[in-house]
Amino acid sequence: MKKTMLAASAGMVLPTIGLGQAQRKSTFKQGEIIGHGDFTYKVDKEWGVQDPAIVPINDCHEMVMGTDGRLFLTVSGKNNKNILIYDKSGKVLDAWGDNFPGAHGLTLAGEGSDQFLLITDPEIHKVFKTTLDGKIIHTFNAPKEYDGYKTNDLFKPTETAVAPNGDIYIADGYGENYITQYNSKGEFIRYFGGKGDTDTTFDCCHGITVDLRDPNNPCLLITSRSKQEFKRFTMDGQYLETIKLPGASICRPVIHGKNLYFAVIVTDNWWIYDGMVAVLNEKNEVVSLPGGSAPKYVNGEFQKPEYDGHTFLNPHDVCIDNDENIYVPQWFSGKTYPVKLHRV
């Protein structure tokens, strides 16, 4: 995604200036406490900072943690490695991959030596399945099994999810907004969704995950970011319900324990310090908004929150470790490295 055009996110034109001013005006103080209720955090903006001459980055997108505690981060751009690997102390252990210039969504699945990554690249219209050290195992292109894609460049995938049986779901959030399901061998099963304003369609299905919090009723959580909502679907693509979060343009859903987390990005003033993290309970109710005002409901409806104006600049994802600390990659943020929120 280029700085001059947000073609992948609603077609808005972005300025090439202003980030420096936004950063200078921030009133943030290192170690500030943010959040609400039982979910408060100490902000550490120094955690992931590296020497850009040694570890250059462009835009950070998503982060996942392996079973060994290593943190994998997607970084777009052609003049840097597209996958950085951190340890929990903030040290970069390794970097690989220069063939994912639009590296965006990142999913880690599998067990033990069979663990793998799924990397979406909306810029080159592909999804890659790789080993943890970067060997490409399989490449998904625009689906040919249905009529959603007249040309390959309409396919702009943003996220993937993997079911317990190995099925892979690809969300085409910046493209035609279809969800395509494959088996573990990469064979087509079905598709659903598409762009629209109905219960079963999406407006920027930016993120998708498998929700196993109710083991008897697994489901898919899929964001419709431009509509500031997410939807629940059965594992075979049947619509269940919509959860609206007015004022919160949510990226991908991330589940840790019984809680659901989102990075909330701003979609109007990209160059101003805005954005936050949302923490939801097992009932999908917002219980904390680190970087924002306290969550409020009126007659059961979530009320539009306010940003604190200095903690985040376009947070794009969250990764939660076993101590419930949160790592936050940020997009279009002046080449900043991920921020860490230490659980208090």
Side-chain angles (χ1 to χ4, degrees):
M1 288 182 288
K2 298 180 180 180
K3 289 287 191 295
T4 54
M5 176 65 76
L6 188 61
S9 298
M12 298 175 66
V13 176
L14 288 177
T16 55
I17 59 174
L19 272 178
Q21 288 183 332
Q23 290 169 336
R24 284 194 296 273
K25 290 180 180 179
S26 173
T27 57
F28 169 81
K29 295 181 179 179
Q30 177 75 358
E32 183 173 337
I33 304 297
I34 60 175
H36 309 94
D38 293 332
F39 294 89
T40 56
Y41 305 86
K42 182 169 67 174
V43 185
D44 184 356
K45 290 193 178 183
E46 298 177 357
W47 172 82
V49 174
Q50 307 295 311
D51 181 347
I54 299 173
V55 186
I57 63 168
N58 194 35
D59 294 319
C60 298
H61 280 105
E62 294 192 350
M63 180 178 275
V64 295
M65 178 174 283
T67 55
D68 60 1
R70 291 185 300 163
L71 295 149
F72 294 78
L73 172 71
T74 49
V75 181
S76 62
K78 297 181 180 179
N79 298 315
N80 51 261
K81 297 299 183 182
N82 300 129
I83 304 294
L84 297 186
I85 304 174
Y86 277 92
D87 66 14
K88 288 195 290 186
S89 74
K91 177 183 178 182
V92 171
L93 303 173
D94 198 3
W96 51 259
D98 53 10
N99 48 354
F100 319 117
H104 187 277
L106 187 63
T107 300
L108 190 150
E111 299 291 339
S113 61
D114 293 326
Q115 284 188 305
F116 62 89
L117 296 171
L118 289 167
I119 304 166
T120 71
D121 191 328
E123 185 173 313
I124 61 174
H125 318 291
K126 297 179 184 294
V127 177
F128 300 94
K129 179 180 180 181
T130 78
T131 61
L132 299 193
D133 57 3
K135 179 182 177 181
I136 296 175
I137 303 169
H138 186 85
T139 301
F140 295 89
N141 296 292
K144 304 300 183 185
E145 292 85 357
Y146 55 98
D147 295 332
Y149 299 93
K150 303 299 183 184
T151 59
N152 198 63
D153 61 0
L154 294 175
F155 184 55
K156 300 175 182 179
T158 51
E159 195 57 77
T160 60
V162 181
N165 68 353
D167 284 0
I168 294 170
Y169 298 83
I170 297 176
D172 184 25
Y174 290 162
E176 298 301 284
N177 278 257
Y178 290 107
I179 309 297
T180 309
Q181 181 181 356
Y182 299 90
N183 66 19
S184 60
K185 297 178 181 180
E187 299 167 336
F188 175 82
I189 297 176
R190 66 172 57 87
Y191 76 100
F192 60 97
K195 189 171 180 64
D197 194 21
T198 67
D199 286 344
T200 60
T201 55
F202 307 97
D203 191 349
C204 188
C205 56
H206 188 274
I208 182 172
T209 197
V210 176
D211 186 352
L212 300 174
R213 289 177 293 174
D214 180 353
N216 296 317
N217 295 288
C219 67
L220 299 168
L221 303 183
I222 306 172
T223 54
S224 189
R225 189 171 74 176
S226 298
K227 293 295 183 182
Q228 300 181 336
E229 63 190 22
F230 66 100
K231 302 184 180 188
R232 295 176 60 245
F233 284 78
T234 64
M235 301 300 289
D236 59 357
Q238 301 301 306
Y239 171 79
L240 294 172
E241 69 170 325
T242 297
I243 296 94
K244 296 183 178 295
L245 298 175
S249 296
I250 48 179
C251 294
R252 72 155 161 185
V254 176
I255 294 173
H256 181 84
K258 291 293 185 180
N259 296 108
L260 173 63
Y261 299 77
F262 292 99
V264 182
I265 200 167
V266 178
T267 55
D268 44 15
N269 296 318
W270 297 96
W271 54 96
I272 296 175
Y273 266 88
D274 273 338
M276 59 189 174
V277 171
V279 185
L280 288 71
N281 62 20
E282 64 272 19
K283 297 179 180 179
N284 294 326
E285 300 166 331
V286 181
V287 294
S288 182
L289 291 171
S293 55
K296 182 180 180 181
Y297 284 82
V298 175
N299 296 325
E301 295 185 356
F302 180 72
Q303 302 300 295
K304 181 179 178 179
E306 298 292 333
Y307 303 106
D308 68 15
H310 62 245
T311 299
F312 296 114
L313 185 56
N314 299 320
H316 192 275
D317 190 34
V318 293
C319 177
I320 298 89
D321 67 20
N322 292 335
D323 296 318
E324 299 188 355
N325 304 307
I326 303 176
Y327 305 83
V328 186
Q330 300 187 117
W331 174 78
F332 191 52
S333 58
K335 300 182 185 295
T336 61
Y337 297 88
V339 175
K340 184 174 181 178
L341 305 182
H342 298 265
R343 180 75 183 268
V344 176

